[in-house]
Amino acid sequence: MRVKIAHFTLAFLFILLGLGLFNLGVLQSRRFCNLSDKNCIRLLPQPGARGIIFDRNNKVIVDNYLTYDVMLLSQDNKDLEKTFSTVARILETSPEELKSAFKNGYSAAFMPVAIAKNIDIKKAIILEEVKMDLPGIIIQARPVRYYPYGKLASHAIGYLNEIDHWRLTKLANYGYKTKDIVGYTGVEEKYDYYLRQEEGALSLEVDHRGRVTRVLGFKPPQSGKDIRLTLDLKIQKIVEDALGDRIGSVIIMEPATGEIIALASSPGFNPAVFVKKSISAINNLFNHPDSLLLNRAIQGVYPPASVFKLVVATAALETNKIRPGTTFTCSGSLRIGRRQFRCWDTHGTQDLIGGIAHSCDVFFYHTGLLLGPQLIHDYALKFGFHKPTGVDLPYESVGFVPDPLWKKLYRLQGWFDGDTANLTIGQGDLLVTPLQVVRMTAAFANGGFLVNPYIVKAIDGRDISLQQRRFARLNLKDKTLDYIRQGLRKTVTDGTANVLSGLRVSLAGKTGTSQVPLGQPHAWFTGFFPFKNPQFIICVFLEHGGSGYYACVLTKQIIEAMAKEGLI
């Protein structure tokens, strides 16, 4: 009986063993084959080059250069101490530093570890010559970003850095992964998908101990797509040289197309800081009191001051609240309610053209009170304020245009005539960006069209200008445009911008002096030239720069330099 039980038990165990073998060998064979393949095949990434950025005349703004990394494949090395010592002597560093880099980067014996990065070519050549005596040492060339003009156009271009968690979460489905180098701000971020390279790979077969047995294949890396901008490097340099150390921004744009010829924000920064990975220098950029990374041209919001009077004048003419011949007398101030609202000068009797040219606050107090706050608000929106301009750069601010409903809901206060007076001269809660001012000015130069500014002209050799150009007709009367233009021209010939009257090119424009609670006022000038056939819009903004006169002086310096270089 016991023998039968033993036989039965053995038979049962053999049956279970057979079923297990059948399950492993037949039913799950494909799964284990896949696991085996994955276990024996390793992919070593091969870096590619990011796309090059050119200006409108095909001059290189951002390029790549080859740097060299020292890699160590530990499975081929029997004497790591000797290797670290020899390499350290050539690189003029300490063995401990190389050991630390190896320890931090080690993942597997067959995976090369970067023990030194960004070495110069002379040291790379020396290591190549002696690497026969240094088993496992590999010199790998790696393309990195190169900025031949330093900080020139830095806010328009942007910079590169390792991908953060927010971007990784957002872009994981597009092939982005941990430790990828991606664009931050500017064109580098907005067009990162086109500029980024496609990594290649070396396919290796390894044995059960992780040692390479053979090379299975090689996929070469693909460079990113090149991009051509609308910027003109010569004009960009003139603009940035003129700005110097002053805080502010200058934008030059084509009025008919929206192509941005120059976009400067000061102070700027050198994107190469992020390539060199200097922690202290990077921290200084982020923590600098002057906000070095802020693109004031599209992100900074400020009261537009008298520049906004163009919107008020247009609204008044279009709604027939005033006529071109309507006059108001400026005695230096106007009493509104219980408060005396002052003008910056005593102008006497002023009509519309004189009111624009002399920037008479009293003329516009009267005009604004005739219009009322809602009409002013609506025309401000019509000219693109409180909305993005649509520029192809990230993080554009929209500014703010107040109205009675907003004040009632969010301030829990009523709207008073004094609020209308402040709004009329571009003060109070009104906030705009310099690019929005450029866009508004273009409408008076191009016959009443609101254009969308853009900065990228071509991708991978394909011109995309027609796709970038978008227009909105403002449906303004020709007479309205004509009278505003006359006022803008008189501002230069016999008004607040007469310092610009002696230029070789005819100019029309408007000054602004924006009062702020602390510090000097902000200085504005916006205009177009040549007057009869406008080719350029220019907006100069100086943060705490004083009166609009100083923005005019800077404008004069820029236009004179452009004329001297034959760019006008």
Side-chain angles (χ1 to χ4, degrees):
M1 186 64 182
R2 291 179 180 176
V3 174
K4 287 183 179 181
I5 292 172
H7 286 170
F8 178 78
T9 301
L10 286 172
F12 180 72
L13 290 174
F14 274 110
I15 291 171
L16 287 179
L17 181 61
L19 290 173
L21 291 173
F22 180 77
N23 177 55
L24 294 175
V26 178
L27 298 181
Q28 297 195 54
S29 62
R30 179 170 296 181
R31 173 172 173 263
F32 284 108
C33 282
N34 290 336
L35 289 173
S36 177
D37 289 341
K38 289 178 181 178
N39 192 47
C40 73
I41 298 173
R42 297 289 184 269
L43 295 177
L44 295 183
Q46 303 294 306
R50 197 168 172 86
I52 301 171
I53 301 176
F54 299 88
D55 85 334
R56 67 189 298 114
N57 300 311
N58 288 316
K59 292 182 180 177
V60 175
I61 303 177
V62 182
D63 204 347
N64 302 295
Y65 73 94
L66 284 179
T67 187
Y68 300 90
D69 297 340
V70 183
M71 316 293 289
L72 174 59
L73 189 64
S74 59
Q75 74 169 26
D76 293 339
N77 195 293
K78 305 300 182 186
D79 191 349
L80 288 176
E81 288 295 330
K82 178 186 175 184
T83 299
F84 287 134
S85 176
T86 305
V87 173
R89 186 173 66 255
I90 295 170
L91 298 183
E92 298 176 355
T93 186
S94 66
E96 287 69 28
E97 190 173 332
L98 301 181
K99 291 176 186 177
S100 176
F102 176 75
K103 183 178 179 181
N104 292 333
Y106 182 84
S107 59
F110 71 90
M111 288 290 288
V113 180
I115 58 173
K117 291 187 175 183
N118 300 330
I119 68 170
D120 63 52
I121 190 168
K122 290 181 180 179
K123 292 176 181 177
I125 291 171
I126 294 172
L127 283 170
E128 276 288 346
E129 289 174 348
V130 301
K131 76 174 188 179
M132 290 297 291
D133 300 323
L134 299 171
I137 288 293
I138 303 166
I139 309 302
Q140 185 176 68
R142 177 170 56 88
V144 297
R145 264 318 197 210
Y146 171 57
Y147 304 92
Y149 299 98
K151 66 178 184 178
L152 189 68
S154 57
H155 289 94
I157 293 165
Y159 62 93
L160 299 180
N161 208 355
E162 192 172 295
I163 194 168
D164 58 18
H165 178 72
W166 178 79
R167 284 173 174 80
L168 183 59
T169 303
K170 186 178 176 183
L171 300 172
N173 292 336
Y174 296 92
Y176 290 77
K177 56 187 183 299
T178 305
K179 294 190 178 297
D180 273 358
I181 300 298
V182 298
Y184 283 72
T185 77
V187 171
E188 290 278 26
E189 177 168 346
K190 185 69 175 182
Y191 290 88
D192 185 82
Y193 183 78
Y194 297 99
L195 288 166
R196 73 191 300 255
Q197 69 277 16
E198 184 182 334
E199 284 190 339
L202 188 64
S203 179
L204 304 174
E205 184 182 82
V206 298
D207 62 17
H208 67 286
R209 298 179 66 180
R211 295 173 299 189
V212 177
T213 57
R214 61 174 173 147
V215 176
L216 299 177
F218 174 69
K219 178 187 176 184
Q222 299 293 320
S223 295
K225 293 177 172 60
D226 296 338
I227 282 181
R228 183 156 56 98
L229 305 184
T230 60
L231 297 183
D232 186 313
L233 267 185
K234 285 186 177 180
I235 297 178
Q236 182 76 27
K237 188 173 189 308
I238 287 170
V239 163
E240 294 200 21
D241 287 347
L243 259 175
D245 295 330
R246 284 171 284 200
I247 298 175
S249 72
V250 177
I251 305 169
I252 298 179
M253 186 183 82
E254 286 187 357
T257 63
E259 289 191 5
I260 296 173
I261 307 300
L263 188 146
S265 177
S266 178
F269 65 96
N270 192 338
V273 167
F274 293 92
V275 175
K276 295 175 182 177
K277 302 290 185 184
S278 170
I279 302 301
S280 61
I282 291 173
N283 286 339
N284 180 57
L285 284 182
F286 282 108
N287 299 320
H288 199 281
D290 289 333
S291 303
L292 303 184
L293 296 175
L294 176 69
N295 186 347
R296 287 170 166 82
I298 68 168
Q299 292 176 281
V301 289
Y302 313 93
S306 295
V307 168
F308 188 71
K309 290 173 181 175
L310 302 181
V311 173
V312 177
T314 302
L317 288 173
E318 287 289 298
T319 57
N320 295 315
K321 297 296 182 182
I322 66 168
R323 298 183 182 279
T326 300
T327 61
F328 299 107
T329 300
C330 172
S331 59
S333 66
L334 179 66
R335 189 170 186 82
I336 302 174
R338 297 179 181 178
R339 182 181 163 193
Q340 202 77 11
F341 282 76
R342 298 190 177 279
C343 186
W344 68 277
D345 201 354
T346 301
H347 296 103
T349 301
Q350 296 283 296
D351 62 5
L352 174 69
I353 293 174
I356 293 173
H358 303 130
S359 200
C360 177
D361 290 344
V362 168
F363 180 91
F364 281 94
Y365 292 148
H366 283 293
T367 304
L369 291 171
L370 288 173
L371 277 168
Q374 196 59 52
L375 272 176
I376 297 173
H377 171 272
D378 294 346
Y379 268 83
L381 266 58
K382 187 172 185 176
F383 273 98
F385 295 109
H386 205 151
K387 300 175 184 177
T389 65
V391 67
D392 49 342
L393 291 173
Y395 312 120
E396 181 187 10
S397 299
V398 298
F400 180 69
V401 180
D403 67 347
L405 181 61
W406 163 80
K407 192 173 182 189
K408 184 177 181 180
L409 292 177
Y410 293 96
R411 291 277 181 87
L412 303 177
Q413 296 174 351
W415 185 278
F416 302 100
D417 286 345
D419 296 318
T420 303
N422 274 330
L423 178 60
T424 299
I425 62 169
Q427 295 286 166
D429 295 301
L430 179 65
L431 296 171
V432 304
T433 68
L435 189 60
Q436 288 175 330
V437 172
V438 167
R439 194 184 188 206
M440 173 201 71
T441 309
F444 298 109
N446 64 24
F449 291 91
L450 206 60
V451 297
N452 277 34
Y454 66 94
I455 201 167
V456 169
K457 194 175 181 70
I459 299 175
D460 200 27
R462 183 174 65 88
D463 196 313
I464 62 168
S465 297
L466 292 179
Q467 297 170 229
Q468 296 277 57
R469 293 175 190 171
R470 294 183 293 279
F471 308 87
R473 184 186 289 274
L474 295 178
N475 293 317
L476 301 177
K477 300 170 189 172
D478 290 340
K479 286 186 177 181
T480 297
L481 293 170
D482 184 53
Y483 282 119
I484 300 293
R485 284 167 60 92
Q486 286 183 50
L488 294 173
R489 179 59 181 152
K490 191 173 181 180
T491 301
V492 173
T493 60
D494 188 31
T496 54
N498 63 358
V499 69
L500 297 166
S501 60
L503 291 170
R504 285 183 285 173
V505 58
S506 58
L507 179 70
K510 185 74 189 75
T511 58
T513 303
S514 175
Q515 303 299 325
V516 289
L518 298 174
Q520 289 290 311
H522 302 323
W524 289 92
F525 177 80
T526 182
F528 54 86
F529 59 98
F531 174 64
K532 291 187 177 179
N533 183 27
Q535 298 176 31
F536 301 102
I537 305 293
I538 184 168
C539 177
V540 173
F541 170 78
L542 298 177
E543 193 172 307
H544 301 296
S547 71
Y549 168 82
Y550 296 102
C552 291
V553 171
L554 185 58
T555 301
K556 183 178 183 179
Q557 185 180 343
I558 291 169
I559 294 176
E560 283 179 338
M562 288 175 64
K564 186 178 180 181
E565 293 289 331
L567 299 169
I568 301 175

